[in-house]
């Protein structure tokens, strides 16, 4: 029994060492993400004037990404420090050797890694494409729905298809906005880019409804829709109309909400 216990302890130690080596890589990625989030947060206005009202710094939209970025950077540093302290410089060297080995190439093709690609892609599209060009409510809804469909209603086999859908939709929207076509269409049909995103969102919901129906995932599908729509409207309305913080991009939904909120019938 003592020999069995010894080998069991050895296996546990080996597994912990592997995890600590992986923590060096993941900690570096988290640190870089945190630093980048802080950089982008400082590009946002800390104070601004909106409709004659001067907003103070503590209602700035930069506070949340600044807080999240700082926490990510700190946690990334702590993770790297703990990992290096555990495995030493020899372990750090083996990490770099692993990154250049065929085993790492195989790891990049595993389902869990492909799912990570989807996370990064969804964040990239949300920050650099949707937020600057699409109504905030619509951007937040499709961002959340993609995440829910990816983790809650999807499967390892379907994640690749969802990634392709995001890429195709992102390319179409990029061409539509960058080419000036959206501005030309807006001269006779307002909010054309928002409508394009609504069409894509409806198609995505219908597509995953079929998947959920065939896979007996309808309860999860309904919960995803519920949270995906309620969360952006709840948070967005509070910031827009109670804290008087303008949305990053105000389009179709904000115009409709403005018409309702400022309607003369309420006065």
């Amino acid at each position: 029994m003592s020999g069995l216990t010894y080998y069991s302890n050895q296996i546990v130690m080996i597994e912990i060492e592997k995890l600590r080596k992986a923590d060096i890589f993941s900690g570096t990625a988290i640190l870089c993400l945190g630093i980048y989030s802080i950089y982008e947060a400082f590009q946002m206005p800390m104070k601004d004037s909106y409709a004659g009202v001067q907003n103070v710094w503590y209602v700035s939209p930069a506070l949340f990404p600044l807080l999240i970025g700082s926490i990510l950077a700190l946690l990334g540093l702590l993770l790297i420090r703990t990992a290096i302290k555990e495995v030493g410089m020899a372990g750090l060297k083996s990490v770099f050797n692993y990154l250049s080995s065929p085993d790492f190439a195989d790891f990049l093709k595993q389902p869990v890694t492909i799912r990570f690609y989807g996370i990064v892609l969804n964040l990239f599209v949300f920050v650099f494409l949707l937020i600057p060009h699409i109504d905030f409510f619509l951007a937040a809804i499709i961002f959340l729905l993609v995440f829910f469909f990816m983790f809650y209603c999807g499967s390892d086999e379907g994640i690749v298809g969802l990634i392709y859908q995001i890429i195709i939709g992102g390319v179409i929207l990029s061409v539509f906005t960058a080419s000036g076509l959206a501005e030309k269409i807006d001269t006779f049909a307002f909010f054309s880019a928002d409508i394009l995103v609504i069409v894509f969102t409806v198609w995505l919901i219908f597509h995953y409804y079929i998947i959920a129906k065939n896979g007996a995932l309808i309860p999860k599908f309904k919960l995803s829709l519920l949270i995906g729509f309620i969360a952006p409207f709840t948070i967005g309305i509070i910031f827009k109309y109670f804290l008087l913080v303008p949305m990053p991009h105000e389009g179709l939904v904000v115009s409709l909400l403005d018409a309702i909120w400022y309607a003369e019938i309420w006065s």
Side-chain angles (χ1 to χ4, degrees), residues 48-50 53-61 63 234-247 261-262:
D48 201 359
S49 178
Y50 182 69
V53 178
Q54 183 69 33
N55 288 328
V56 290
W57 65 269
Y58 52 80
V59 298
S60 170
L63 289 184
T234 301
I235 297 174
I237 289 175
I238 290 174
F239 272 85
K240 168 70 177 175
Y241 298 106
F242 290 94
L243 297 178
L244 301 179
V245 178
M247 298 292 98
W261 188 263
Y262 300 111

Side-chain angles (χ1 to χ4, degrees), residues 36 118-132 143:
Y36 180 74
I119 296 173
V120 175
L121 178 62
N122 193 28
L123 286 169
F124 183 87
V125 171
F126 179 66
V127 173
F128 295 102
L129 182 58
L130 295 180
I131 287 295
F143 172 76

Side-chain angles (χ1 to χ4, degrees), residues 14-246:
I14 292 173
E15 290 299 323
I16 292 177
E17 184 179 359
K18 287 182 179 179
L19 291 175
R20 289 292 176 260
K21 290 179 180 178
D23 286 344
I24 297 175
F25 177 74
S26 57
T28 303
I30 293 172
L31 174 62
C32 293
L33 179 60
I35 294 174
Y36 180 74
S37 299
I38 294 173
Y39 170 78
E40 288 295 329
F42 277 115
Q43 309 307 309
M44 302 179 183
M46 295 299 293
K47 294 191 296 184
D48 201 359
S49 178
Y50 182 69
V53 178
Q54 183 69 33
N55 288 328
V56 290
W57 65 269
Y58 52 80
V59 298
S60 170
L63 289 184
F64 183 71
L66 186 61
L67 175 63
I68 296 300
S70 301
I71 294 175
L72 285 175
L74 177 61
L75 293 178
L77 283 173
L78 292 175
L79 188 60
I80 295 171
R81 177 181 176 275
T82 302
I84 294 179
K85 184 178 179 181
E86 185 77 23
V87 301
M89 296 306 297
L92 181 62
K93 182 179 179 181
S94 67
V95 170
F96 288 105
N97 292 334
Y98 171 73
L99 293 178
S100 59
S101 67
D103 292 336
F104 181 66
D106 294 335
F107 171 76
L108 295 178
K109 301 175 184 178
Q110 293 181 4
V112 64
T113 312
I114 295 175
R115 201 175 291 269
F116 175 76
Y117 300 154
I119 296 173
V120 175
L121 178 62
N122 193 28
L123 286 169
F124 183 87
V125 171
F126 179 66
V127 173
F128 295 102
L129 182 58
L130 295 180
I131 287 295
H133 302 104
I134 301 300
D135 183 278
F136 173 78
F137 291 90
L138 296 176
I141 288 171
I142 194 170
F143 172 76
L144 290 176
L145 289 180
V146 168
F147 259 126
F148 293 151
F149 293 157
M150 187 183 301
F151 288 98
Y152 197 50
C153 299
S155 62
D156 292 339
E157 295 77 15
I159 186 64
V160 176
L162 180 58
I163 290 176
Y164 282 132
Q165 293 168 22
I166 298 172
I167 293 175
I168 293 173
V171 169
I172 293 175
L173 182 60
S174 298
V175 173
F176 188 71
T177 55
S179 64
L181 182 60
E183 296 180 359
K184 294 179 180 178
I185 296 178
D186 284 345
T187 57
F188 59 88
F190 296 128
F191 309 117
S192 57
D194 290 347
I195 294 174
L196 184 63
V197 170
I198 291 175
V199 172
F200 179 80
T201 304
V202 171
W203 179 86
L204 189 67
I205 291 173
F206 176 76
H207 176 70
Y208 269 86
Y209 169 75
I210 300 300
I211 295 176
K213 186 177 180 181
N214 294 335
L217 297 172
I218 289 297
K220 291 186 176 182
F221 174 79
K222 291 180 178 179
L223 183 60
S224 298
L225 290 184
L226 184 65
I227 300 177
F229 279 88
I230 289 181
F233 275 96
T234 301
I235 297 174
I237 289 175
I238 290 174
F239 272 85
K240 168 70 177 175
Y241 298 106
F242 290 94
L243 297 178
L244 301 179
V245 178

